[in-house]
Amino acid sequence: MSVEVIPERSGTAFRLNKGQVLTVIDPKGEQVADLLAFNADDLNEVISSGRTLDYAETIRLTTGHKLYSNRSGVMLEIIQDTVGRHDFLLTPCSVDTFHHFYPDQPPHRGCFGNLAEALAPYGVKEDDIPVAFNCFMNVPIDGETGELKVLPPISKAGDRIELRAEMDLIIGLTACSAPDSNGGSFKPIHYQID
Amino acid sequence: MSVEVIPERSGTAFRLNKGQVLTVIDPKGEQVADLLAFNADDLNEVISSGRTLDYAETIRLTTGHKLYSNRSGVMLEIIQDTVGRHDFLLTPCSVDTFHHFYPDQPPHRGCFGNLAEALAPYGVKEDDIPVAFNCFMNVPIDGETGELKVLPPISKAGDRIELRAEMDLIIGLTACSAPDSNGGSFKPIHYQID
């Protein structure tokens, strides 16, 4: 498939069949893409940060790691990753997070609003949006104090992560809308399905 | 209210009204209690690790921190805490996690199964069980590598955490069933509502 473009501060949703490979590309560098996955045959099975981190025994997910569902099913496997720094702790930015972190800026519906709109035609409800796998998002944790920071991604132009579907999925994917996630500039995200 | 006992490897559920204070007590030390919260008036509003960690900017939640819902509503506030080490990254242990981590032991339905049974009469479905706030669970993260470990809690006999309800809630609470969470021995959890 040719490369598809998610314009800055927007999102999309699509079907990804078992065995297909989704490549998420950061075309300009230092941009974040929030990724959600639902079982296409039963939307109650959804990507789970808690199951995934428990099984992986690390918060630094990269090539070889599997992303699990709330039912402990393998949804996706990371088969290539040129960055090695993604986040699986935080929920997509929303109107509420804009009010909290950027009170002086006009609020944006954020990745949460973009995902909700893109996933609605597939039957996903807003309340069912969980913690996303945030491709390229750079959230270091201080092991001593537990403090977390949202820093600009370390991804450079052309960096990518490839994920193979291990079941038929509905995917939600964004080009992130939160200033802190990408160093204050908004950029598109590219993706490709093979 | 008098002190209630959750026997080892079991769970319970109850209503906690706005303004009431839930005290979770580790009576023998080094035991974990998984805590879930749902809006009593709308079960689609549920405790969210992702929102909470995002707003708190730390994974080390303690006195003064608020536990948020998927709608960014404040569900609970931690008003006292004699331990200061809890986990909000991992999902409740389940049959699947027992198969994964303890293949040589008879599998147990775990906190997940205990919560599912206890919450079912309130209308909560198994698939809707998210990442729990795991009282006293000790999950240090290596800031450099991202590796996480499940170590015995640092809680001593009589240690407690007090949480005030900021909305009417249905609470699920367990005495954890996973050997690694509590140093290999199973113990009860006590709680009190005031």
Side-chain angles (χ1 to χ4, degrees):
Chain A
M1 192 181 109
S2 56
V3 170
E4 301 284 326
V5 176
I6 305 176
E8 60 179 46
R9 303 189 110 182
S10 75
T12 188
F14 49 86
R15 188 182 172 98
L16 187 73
N17 289 321
K18 183 176 177 176
Q20 287 188 310
V21 173
L22 169 66
T23 304
V24 182
I25 304 156
D26 182 355
K28 298 189 174 180
E30 297 192 13
Q31 173 60 312
V32 167
D34 287 11
L35 185 153
L36 292 179
F38 297 82
N39 178 340
D41 297 320
D42 183 349
L43 297 174
N44 294 311
E45 182 166 14
V46 55
I47 195 166
S48 168
S49 62
R51 288 274 175 251
T52 301
L53 299 179
D54 200 10
Y55 292 136
E57 300 182 63
T58 180
I59 62 166
R60 202 70 61 74
L61 301 166
T62 186
T63 307
H65 282 118
K66 298 176 169 92
L67 306 186
Y68 288 84
S69 76
N70 54 340
R71 296 179 190 165
S72 289
V74 179
M75 302 192 104
L76 294 153
E77 180 172 339
I78 303 173
I79 58 170
Q80 200 176 338
D81 177 12
T82 65
V83 179
R85 185 69 62 92
H86 315 282
D87 170 69
F88 208 3
L89 300 181
L90 305 181
T91 27
C93 58
S94 69
V95 167
D96 298 304
T97 54
F98 270 79
H99 281 305
H100 181 93
F101 289 109
Y102 315 105
D104 299 334
Q105 295 182 32
H108 190 274
R109 67 179 184 174
C111 288
F112 185 84
N114 289 329
L115 287 164
E117 182 178 285
L119 287 163
Y122 294 94
V124 174
K125 294 189 219 96
E126 196 170 281
D127 283 328
D128 296 335
I129 293 178
V131 172
F133 181 71
N134 303 305
C135 305
F136 315 128
M137 192 173 186
N138 183 12
V139 184
I141 290 182
D142 183 313
E144 290 303 310
T145 65
E147 271 182 79
L148 63 84
K149 286 188 180 144
V150 177
L151 298 182
I154 62 172
S155 49
K156 304 214 176 339
D159 269 333
R160 63 192 59 210
I161 180 171
E162 294 181 28
L163 306 110
R164 188 181 56 227
E166 299 296 327
M167 61 174 76
D168 293 342
L169 298 170
I170 304 299
I171 297 286
L173 192 65
T174 70
C176 186
S177 314
D180 285 354
S181 301
N182 48 36
S185 74
F186 306 115
K187 285 161 279 193
I189 282 288
H190 292 179
Y191 72 96
Q192 186 173 319
I193 299 173
D194 297 287
Chain B
M1 191 181 108
S2 57
V3 170
E4 301 283 328
V5 175
I6 305 176
E8 60 179 46
R9 302 187 113 181
S10 74
T12 188
F14 49 85
R15 190 182 170 99
L16 187 73
N17 289 321
K18 183 175 175 175
Q20 286 188 311
V21 173
L22 169 66
T23 304
V24 183
I25 304 156
D26 182 355
K28 300 191 173 179
E30 299 193 10
Q31 174 58 312
V32 167
D34 287 12
L35 185 152
L36 292 179
F38 297 83
N39 179 340
D41 298 320
D42 183 349
L43 297 173
N44 293 311
E45 183 166 14
V46 54
I47 195 167
S48 168
S49 62
R51 288 274 174 253
T52 301
L53 300 179
D54 200 12
Y55 292 137
E57 301 181 61
T58 180
I59 61 166
R60 201 70 62 76
L61 300 165
T62 186
T63 308
H65 282 119
K66 298 177 170 88
L67 306 187
Y68 287 85
S69 76
N70 55 340
R71 296 179 190 165
S72 289
V74 179
M75 302 192 104
L76 293 154
E77 180 171 338
I78 303 173
I79 59 171
Q80 201 176 339
D81 176 13
T82 65
V83 179
R85 184 71 60 93
H86 315 282
D87 170 69
F88 208 1
L89 299 181
L90 304 182
T91 26
C93 57
S94 69
V95 167
D96 297 305
T97 54
F98 270 80
H99 281 304
H100 181 93
F101 288 110
Y102 315 105
D104 298 333
Q105 294 182 33
H108 190 275
R109 66 180 184 174
C111 289
F112 186 85
N114 289 329
L115 287 164
E117 182 177 285
L119 288 162
Y122 295 94
V124 174
K125 294 189 218 95
E126 196 170 281
D127 284 328
D128 295 336
I129 292 177
V131 172
F133 180 70
N134 302 304
C135 304
F136 316 127
M137 192 173 186
N138 183 11
V139 184
I141 290 182
D142 183 312
E144 290 302 310
T145 65
E147 271 180 78
L148 63 84
K149 286 187 180 144
V150 177
L151 299 182
I154 62 173
S155 49
K156 306 216 174 337
D159 269 333
R160 61 192 58 211
I161 180 171
E162 294 182 26
L163 306 109
R164 187 179 58 228
E166 299 296 326
M167 60 174 76
D168 293 342
L169 297 171
I170 303 300
I171 297 285
L173 191 66
T174 70
C176 186
S177 314
D180 285 354
S181 301
N182 48 34
S185 75
F186 307 115
K187 284 160 279 192
I189 283 289
H190 292 179
Y191 71 96
Q192 184 174 319
I193 298 173
D194 297 289

